[in-house]
Amino acid sequence: MKIKKNDTVYVVAGKDKKSTGKVLSVDTEANMIKVDGVCVQRKHQKARRAGETSGIVSQVGSINASNVLIVCPACGKNTRVGYVVDGDKKIRVCKKCGASLDVKAEAKKAAKKAAATKTTAKKTSTKKTAEAKTADAPKKTTRKTAAKKAAEDKAE
């Protein structure tokens, strides 16, 4: 299937025609997808326990994957999906502009890795700076210790 979770898609057929949404889930065997805000169904739900209330619940229904086009993140147009083999990986590309459709996922992974290394670097640097501050800072004397020192000096 050419559509993956978290892709932005444009609906070209059905009752929600001309709407756009984010893919919530993909069923490759049945060729069905669930899109946020598309094919919203209402279900009557009965209370199953004493604390629950019964009512009408809205839920997202499945639509066929052939009824949608992927929206390219680079050019913003509805497009078909092409493939380019890059080394060992098969990358999805936009048929109109040639930009990679998998850039978002790769960018998110890179951002998570960068954030993780940044937080570990911060933790180690704060420990080092705290140790340096305690070692370099002059010791503060309170009135009691100053009075004790004065008493010891008089005794000598």
Side-chain angles (χ1 to χ4, degrees):
M1 183 179 284
K2 297 179 179 185
I3 299 168
K4 294 183 179 179
K5 186 177 176 181
N6 294 327
D7 282 342
T8 303
V9 294
Y10 175 78
V11 181
V12 294
K15 69 175 186 175
D16 294 311
K17 187 176 184 179
K18 298 183 181 178
S19 62
T20 305
K22 183 178 175 183
V23 177
L24 301 174
S25 67
V26 177
D27 183 8
T28 55
E29 292 177 8
N31 200 34
M32 302 292 275
I33 61 172
K34 290 187 179 184
V35 181
D36 187 29
V38 175
C39 192
V40 178
Q41 301 167 345
R42 297 176 63 142
K43 178 183 175 184
H44 294 265
Q45 190 168 16
K46 186 177 179 181
R48 298 290 179 194
R49 296 186 186 97
E52 290 182 2
T53 57
S54 56
I56 301 171
V57 180
S58 296
Q59 63 185 17
V60 178
S62 297
I63 60 171
N64 199 300
S66 65
N67 294 337
V68 298
L69 288 173
I70 292 183
V71 178
C72 177
C75 62
K77 296 178 182 176
N78 311 327
T79 183
R80 292 172 298 149
V81 178
Y83 288 99
V84 174
V85 177
D86 183 29
D88 295 339
K89 293 187 178 182
K90 190 174 178 183
I91 299 173
R92 300 181 305 155
V93 294
C94 173
K95 283 280 194 174
K96 292 188 178 179
C97 69
S100 174
L101 297 174
D102 297 328
V103 172
K104 282 186 177 181
E106 292 171 8
K108 285 181 182 179
K109 287 179 184 177
K112 284 182 182 180
K113 286 182 182 178
T117 56
K118 196 173 190 180
T119 54
T120 56
K122 277 186 178 180
K123 289 178 182 178
T124 56
S125 64
T126 54
K127 287 180 183 177
K128 288 178 183 175
T129 54
E131 291 171 2
K133 285 180 182 178
T134 56
D136 295 338
K139 294 184 179 179
K140 294 181 181 179
T141 57
T142 59
R143 290 184 183 175
K144 291 180 182 179
T145 56
K148 287 181 182 178
K149 285 182 182 179
E152 289 175 4
D153 291 338
K154 287 183 183 178
E156 292 176 2

